[in-house]
DNA sequence: TATTAAGATTACAACGTTTTCGTAGCAAAA
DNA sequence: TTTTGCTACGAAAACGTTGTAATCTTAATA
C-alpha cells in the first residue's frame, strides 16, 4: 500500500525544499524555469494531487455544500439534488448529502456534524418534525457562525436567509383553473394539514382559483390529510371515505400519491377519468407519466430549483467579506402538463 | 459573524495552554479535577465542537465514505443510498454522494476529487460508459493507493475488491418460474444488451427457468434493448414492434419501465393482463405498486444491498494495518412480490 | 575590491487538532 | 539536606498546504 504522494515526498526525492515544490507546481515566477520543469514533470509522472483536507484547513474553506433533506426516495428531492449537483460542479464545489428522515434530532445532529468544518454552507429542506416543533435554533446558530444557509421547498419565513420556493399558490391556482376551464365546477381538493407550508399555500391557490371563476368554496370538498409519508394505507382509506358518494366532477391533489389513490377508487366505483371526474395533481413524477390514464400535473421543476438554490448559496460564499447582508427569496415557476386525466379546454 | 470557537481561543480565554484544554475536554487524568471542570463548563457554554477538517488532517482519516453512482433518479439507487446511509451513521461515518451521469470522464473526475483526502473509501456502481470502455484504471489506482473500494450492482469481476450483487440470475429464474407455475408457456423476455452485466445475468436466469420446465427457448421471444435511460420513446416503440401480433402468454422484463410499456401496449391491443398475458418485472419500485394492474415483481432489496456494501467497506477501513487482503463477494437475495399482473399458481 | 541588485531557494508560521515528552512544584523518603 | 516520585501543566511536533520573509548566490555596478 503506497503512501499518497505529498509535497514533502517530492521535495525529498528531488532534493529541494517543500516551498520550492509548492511554488513550482503553482507556476510561481520565483522558481527557475529548470527546476520548475523538473518538479512538474516528476509530479505529473507520479500523479501528484494536492490534499484537499490540508487545503481546507489552510484556507478555512472546503468548497463543499451540505444538503440536508428529509428523504431521498422522493422523486422531487432527487431532481433538486441533481440541480444542485450541476450548479455546484460548474463552480467547482462538492456536495455532501445527508438525510434527516423527517426527524428533528437527526436534522440537528447532521447540521452540527457538517458545520464543524465539513461544509461552507447549507441547502436545506426542513424536516416535518422541525416544522411542528417550531424550533429553529440549529439554523440560526449556523447562520450566526457565518455559515450561509439556503432553504428550499419546506421553508420558514422568520429565518434570515436566502430561500427558494415553488410558487405553490400560483401553481395550484393554475391547476384548478385548468379544471374549471375544462368545465368542472364541483371540484374537490385533497391536501395536507396547514402546518405544511406547501399544503397550505396550495389550498389557498385552490380557493383563489374557484373564486376567480365565481364558484363558491364548499368546505365539504376539502380533505386535509396528515403525515403523507408513513400513511399510505391510512391515507388511502381516508380518501375512499371522503370520495364515497360525493357529487364531484373534478379533483385537485397536492401530490401524485393522493391522485393515484383517488383515481383507483373512482375506477373501482365505475366512474370514468376524465369523463366523469377529472384529476389534476401537483408534483410531476414518474407515477403521473405512467399511470393509466396518465395524469395532468402541475410540474415543479425541481432541477431548476436546485440550480437556483446552489446559485444563491455560491453567491453568498463568494461575496466579499464586507458586503452587507441581503436575502433573496426566489420563486420557481410551475408548468401545467396536460395529460389524459383531464378533458380538453372548452372554448 | 462570530469566529468559530477553537482550542486556542478557549486556552487564551481561560489562561491555560492549548494542550491543557485538549486534554481536559478528552477527560485526561493528567488534568486536575478543578481545571477540567472549568474548561468543560466553558466549552459547553460556548458550544465548542472540534473542527473535523483538522481532525481529518491529523488522523489521516476522514470517516467519510464516498458513493459514486450513475444516477440518483433511479429509485433503486435511492434505496441503496438509504441503506449505506443507515449503516454509515451507525458506525459514525459520513457519506458523500457524487453522480457520474453514466459518463466515464465524470466518474474518473469524481473519484480523483474524492480520493484527494476527502474520503477513506468508495462504494461505487459503475457508469455504463465505463463498462463499455472497459477501462478501470481509476479503480485500480485508488485501490493501489490503499483506498478500499466496494462495487455494487454494476460490477466487474477482474477488479480486486469487495463486491455486493443482487443474485440476478437466481432472481430472474424465480420470476420466470413463477410465470411457468401459473401456467404460462410462451414467455417473452424484454432485456438489455449483454454488456450490461445485470441484463446478461437476468437473461441467463430466464433461459435456465425455461429449461428447468422443459420449455424450449425461442430466440424470437427475446428482445434486447440498448440505452435504457435516454430512450423512453425509442424503447417503447421497439417494444410495441416486438409484441405486435406475437403469440405469447407471459412476459418477463428486466425493469419496471419495460413492463409498464408492454402492459400499456397490450391493453391498447385489447389483451387482458394477467388473463391473456401475465407479466413479471425485475426491480420493485413505485411504478409497480401503483400501476393498474399492480405488477408482480422480483424485489431487489436495495436497502439491504446498501447496508451490506457499507458494512464491507467499514470492515476494510477498520481492519488492522497488517491484516492480509481478502475480498468478499456478497449476494443479496431477491424476493418475489406477487401482485395482480400474474395469475394464481396452479396446483 | 567592495557594494548592490537580482534571482533562486529555503525557513517559518499558520490553519486546529492530538499526543509525546519535558519540567516545574512539592511532599515524602533517605 | 538531598533524593525520589508524583501531580499538573506546557512546549513542540505532526498532519499537508501556502505565502511571506529571510537567506544565499551570482553577476553587475561603483
Amino acid at each position: 500500500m503506497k503512501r499518497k504522494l505529498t509535497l514533502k515526498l517530492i521535495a525529498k526525492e528531488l532534493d529541494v525544499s517543500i516551498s520550492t515544490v509548492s511554488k513550482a507546481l503553482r507556476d510561481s515566477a520565483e522558481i527557475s524555469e529548470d527546476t520548475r520543469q523538473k518538479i512538474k514533470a516528476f509530479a505529473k509522472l507520479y500523479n501528484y494531487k494536492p490534499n484537499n483536507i490540508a487545503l481546507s484547513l489552510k484556507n478555512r474553506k472546503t468548497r463543499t455544500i451540505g444538503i440536508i433533506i428529509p428523504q431521498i426516495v422522493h422523486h422531487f428531492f432527487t431532481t433538486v439534488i441533481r440541480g444542485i449537483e450541476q450548479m455546484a460542479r460548474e463552480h467547482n464545489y462538492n456536495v455532501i448529502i445527508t438525510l434527516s428522515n423527517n426527524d428533528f434530532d437527526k436534522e440537528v445532529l447532521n447540521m452540527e456534524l457538517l458545520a464543524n468544518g465539513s461544509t461552507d454552507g447549507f441547502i436545506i429542506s426542513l424536516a416535518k418534525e422541525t416544522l411542528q416543533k417550531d424550533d429553529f435554533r440549529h439554523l440560526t446558530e449556523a447562520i450566526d457562525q457565518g455559515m450561509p444557509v439556503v432553504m428550499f421547498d419546506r421553508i420558514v419565513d422568520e429565518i434570515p436567509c436566502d430561500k427558494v420556493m415553488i410558487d405553490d399558490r400560483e401553481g395550484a391556482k393554475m391547476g384548478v383553473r385548468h379544471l374549471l376551464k375544462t368545465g368542472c365546477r364541483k371540484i374537490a381538493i385533497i391536501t395536507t394539514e396547514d402546518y405544511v407550508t406547501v399544503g397550505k399555500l396550495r389550498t389557498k391557490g385552490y380557493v383563489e382559483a374557484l373564486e376567480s371563476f365565481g364558484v363558491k368554496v364548499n368546505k365539504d370538498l376539502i380533505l386535509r390529510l396528515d403525515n403523507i409519508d408513513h400513511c399510505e394505507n391510512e391515507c388511502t382509506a381516508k380518501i375512499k371515505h371522503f370520495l364515497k358518494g360525493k357529487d364531484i366532477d373534478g379533483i385537485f391533489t397536492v401530490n401524485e400519491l393522493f391522485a393515484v389513490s383517488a383515481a383507483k377508487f373512482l375506477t373501482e366505483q365505475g366512474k370514468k377519468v376524465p369523463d366523469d371526474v377529472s384529476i389534476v395533481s401537483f408534483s410531476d413524477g414518474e407515477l403521473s407519466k405512467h399511470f393509466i390514464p396518465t395524469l395532468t400535473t402541475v410540474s415543479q421543476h425541481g432541477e431548476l430549483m436546485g440550480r437556483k438554490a446552489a446559485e444563491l448559496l455560491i453567491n453568498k460564499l463568494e461575496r466579499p467579506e464586507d458586503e452587507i447582508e441581503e436575502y433573496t427569496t426566489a420563486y420557481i415557476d410551475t408548468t401545467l402538463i396536460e395529460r389524459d386525466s383531464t378533458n380538453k379546454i372548452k372554448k
Side-chain angles (χ1 to χ4, degrees), chain A:
Chain A
M1 164 167 151
K2 296 181 298 190
R3 179 70 121 250
K4 258 236 126 181
L5 196 55
T6 65
L7 292 183
K8 199 197 278 191
L9 268 301
I10 302 182
K12 204 203 294 180
E13 208 60 39
L14 297 183
D15 209 31
V16 290
S17 78
I18 298 181
S19 332
T20 307
V21 179
S22 170
K23 285 174 186 163
L25 292 177
R26 326 200 91 237
D27 275 323
S28 160
E30 284 182 67
I31 306 300
S32 71
E33 189 59 23
D34 259 19
T35 336
R36 209 194 310 171
Q37 292 304 332
K38 192 177 61 182
I39 292 174
K40 290 185 101 174
F42 187 91
K44 181 151 194 190
L45 179 61
Y46 291 104
N47 193 27
Y48 168 79
K49 293 272 160 51
N51 178 313
N52 271 329
I53 295 289
L55 284 177
S56 296
L57 185 58
K58 178 128 217 337
N59 303 329
R60 286 124 126 253
K61 291 251 169 90
T62 60
R63 293 200 82 81
T64 300
I65 295 174
I67 304 183
I68 301 179
I69 51 175
Q71 297 232 14
I72 204 176
V73 284
H74 275 34
H75 185 260
F76 171 65
F77 285 126
T78 278
T79 56
V80 175
I81 291 179
R82 188 161 53 177
I84 297 175
E85 246 268 334
Q86 285 171 10
M87 186 59 83
R89 285 275 173 263
E90 285 167 25
H91 290 80
N92 268 304
Y93 277 81
N94 271 65
V95 165
I96 298 187
I97 303 168
T98 66
L99 308 178
S100 66
N101 283 324
N102 271 320
D103 178 295
F104 174 77
D105 292 326
K106 200 157 178 228
E107 184 173 290
V108 174
L109 211 72
N110 281 344
M111 275 204 85
E112 282 179 356
L113 210 78
L114 295 191
N116 298 325
S118 308
T119 55
D120 296 341
F122 289 109
I123 296 179
I124 186 171
S125 175
L126 293 177
K128 206 175 302 175
E129 214 190 334
T130 308
L131 291 171
Q132 284 166 323
K133 279 200 150 178
D134 209 38
D135 182 350
F136 310 115
R137 271 172 300 175
H138 50 308
L139 290 171
T140 50
E141 261 171 36
I143 294 171
D144 281 351
Q145 288 187 0
M147 281 259 196
V149 170
V150 176
M151 299 177 58
F152 75 95
D153 196 50
R154 298 230 199 105
I155 69 155
V156 13
D157 291 328
E158 309 91 83
I159 307 287
C161 67
D162 287 333
K163 301 176 182 96
V164 185
M165 303 180 55
I166 296 295
D167 195 338
D168 287 287
R169 196 176 46 78
E170 210 41 68
K173 199 166 163 183
M174 173 167 59
V176 176
R177 282 175 63 91
H178 183 73
L179 285 170
L180 288 159
K181 285 184 204 159
T182 65
C184 304
R185 285 298 176 274
K186 293 169 282 187
I187 304 173
I189 180 172
I190 306 179
T191 180
T192 65
E193 292 291 351
D194 273 357
Y195 69 82
V196 182
T197 327
V198 302
K200 184 171 165 186
L201 289 170
R202 291 174 193 174
T203 310
K204 199 164 168 193
Y206 160 82
V207 170
E208 287 183 17
L210 291 184
E211 284 169 350
S212 77
F213 265 68
V215 174
K216 224 168 77 193
V217 177
N218 178 350
K219 290 217 163 145
D220 291 344
L221 297 185
I222 299 181
L223 174 61
R224 286 196 172 80
L225 295 174
D226 205 7
N227 202 8
I228 318 169
D229 295 318
H230 301 283
C231 76
E232 280 201 29
N233 297 328
E234 199 188 326
C235 285
T236 305
K238 284 186 181 162
I239 290 174
K240 285 185 181 176
H241 183 259
F242 171 72
L243 292 177
K244 190 140 202 169
K246 275 246 159 70
D247 174 28
I248 54 175
D249 55 11
I251 303 181
F252 179 75
T253 69
V254 298
N255 65 45
E256 283 187 305
L257 235 53
F258 291 172
V260 165
S261 294
K264 277 188 183 166
F265 179 69
L266 290 172
T267 313
E268 278 172 28
Q269 301 283 302
K271 302 223 177 160
K272 292 258 179 288
V273 177
D275 295 326
D276 298 329
V277 181
S278 297
I279 299 183
V280 172
S281 148
F282 218 102
S283 316
D284 185 49
E286 288 300 296
L287 280 180
S288 306
K289 275 184 242 165
H290 298 289
F291 194 74
I292 305 179
T294 54
L295 300 179
T296 296
T297 57
V298 178
S299 170
Q300 304 187 80
H301 304 295
E303 204 164 307
L304 262 182
M305 194 162 189
R307 290 187 66 89
K308 187 67 191 178
E311 187 192 321
L312 287 172
L313 186 64
I314 293 172
N315 271 346
K316 277 276 183 298
L317 291 176
E318 301 194 339
R319 101 202 122 169
E321 273 285 347
D322 49 356
E323 204 175 291
I324 19 152
E325 291 293 350
E326 191 180 317
Y327 299 112
T328 315
T329 298
Y331 286 90
I332 307 295
D333 283 336
T334 51
T335 313
L336 186 81
I337 301 193
E338 266 187 80
R339 298 208 185 83
D340 299 338
S341 66
T342 48
N343 289 309
K344 291 272 164 282
I345 293 185
K346 301 213 167 114
K347 298 288 159 59

